[in-house]
Amino acid sequence: MVARAIGFRKFGVSRAINIGKCYLLNMDKIRRTSSDEATSSIIDELLTDRGFGNREFDRATHGAITYSRIRDIRSGLRGPIRLSEFLIICQTCDVDPVVTLREIITEAHHLEEEQTRTRGFVVTDEAISRIAAHPEEYDMAANQDKNKELERDTPRE
């Protein structure tokens, strides 16, 4: 049997284990961004305002975007929306894609700001200046530990 490398990474696979003629694949999780979340919510609002359910939208697009795909887009499941799907949705709902995209970008910025606030981590110029002016106040806890030599020399398994 000849061993050969197969590039699964381009398919979102982080690890492939060769067992005989089969591969066990470890798929990476899809990481959704604030833009993806904003797109899902704006598209859901748009379709709801136009009175489209998932099945009705499937019929209105003559299957260009299927019931299951529009459900996934609206609920934020699976992969993010593709440009072609976005344009079909805008055309079917008779809205300007540029205006809709601007709404999505604005909503994404609001979501990012909200996430930053809830984490309580906002880096400002004032904070950077304060740390630079008094670096001794922001020392590493490990440097102050009286057992640091003992812990450093402890063998790891």
Side-chain angles (χ1 to χ4, degrees):
M1 175 188 264
V2 177
R4 62 182 180 159
I6 298 177
F8 286 110
R9 192 161 295 284
K10 64 183 174 184
F11 300 114
V13 176
S14 61
R15 209 168 103 200
I17 302 169
N18 187 356
I19 301 176
K21 293 184 178 183
C22 298
Y23 287 90
L24 294 177
L25 304 178
N26 181 15
M27 299 296 287
D28 291 340
K29 298 278 185 197
I30 295 173
R31 292 180 184 89
R32 296 184 62 79
T33 64
S34 58
S35 298
D36 297 330
E37 298 298 329
T39 303
S40 293
S41 68
I42 297 290
I43 295 297
D44 184 45
E45 286 177 24
L46 179 65
L47 294 176
T48 302
D49 290 345
R50 299 285 190 252
F52 283 117
N54 297 341
R55 192 154 317 280
E56 291 83 12
F57 192 79
D58 179 10
R59 288 187 194 119
T61 61
H62 305 290
I65 302 177
T66 62
Y67 167 85
S68 58
R69 181 61 183 146
I70 198 67
R71 181 197 62 219
D72 292 344
I73 290 170
R74 290 176 89 165
S75 59
L77 301 174
R78 308 210 190 258
I81 189 170
R82 295 187 302 264
L83 180 59
S84 59
E85 294 169 333
F86 177 73
L87 294 173
I88 290 170
I89 291 170
C90 289
Q91 182 180 14
T92 305
C93 294
D94 197 32
V95 294
D96 184 14
V98 176
V99 173
T100 307
L101 185 59
R102 284 190 181 127
E103 290 176 16
I104 290 170
I105 292 169
T106 303
E107 179 69 20
H109 286 302
H110 290 305
L111 288 173
E112 287 174 1
E113 289 172 0
E114 183 180 316
Q115 289 171 354
T116 304
R117 262 188 267 115
T118 57
R119 277 187 260 134
F121 180 72
V122 178
V123 178
T124 61
D125 291 335
E126 179 185 329
I128 293 170
S129 299
R130 189 173 53 240
I131 293 170
H134 304 286
E136 67 280 354
E137 294 178 10
Y138 299 93
D139 203 359
M140 296 278 297
N143 292 338
Q144 306 298 325
D145 188 5
K146 47 190 170 175
N147 294 322
K148 65 182 175 185
E149 281 83 17
L150 178 64
E151 291 175 3
R152 183 190 64 215
D153 297 335
T154 303
R156 305 275 187 255
E157 292 181 318

